[in-house]
Amino acid sequence: MSGVAIVMLLVSIGIVWGGLVASIIFLNRRPEVEDLFEDPDLVRDDEERAAQPHPFRDT
């Protein structure tokens, strides 16, 4: 491999692994919110839909 190819390899590795490290740090500092308000009407609709039989095709 030429010197330019090695430099580009190192740059691309740095970008990929740097993005991974940055995203891990970001998620550790600002975790996703788990306590979201759920609309009771939407929850009831979901439960009713889950109780119905699964639709099927006749094809």
Side-chain angles (χ1 to χ4, degrees), residues 3-58:
V4 175
I6 293 174
V7 169
M8 290 304 296
L9 175 69
L10 293 175
V11 167
S12 63
I13 289 173
I15 290 172
V16 170
W17 287 101
L20 177 65
V21 169
S23 64
I24 290 172
I25 291 171
F26 179 80
L27 284 175
N28 279 334
R29 289 185 181 171
R30 295 178 185 89
E32 294 183 12
V33 178
E34 294 181 8
D35 298 332
L36 296 176
F37 172 74
E38 292 187 2
D39 188 12
D41 294 332
L42 294 176
V43 171
R44 186 186 68 245
D45 291 343
D46 289 341
E47 291 172 352
E48 289 175 0
R49 191 176 303 115
Q52 295 176 355
H54 190 274
F56 62 93
R57 289 188 176 188
D58 193 26

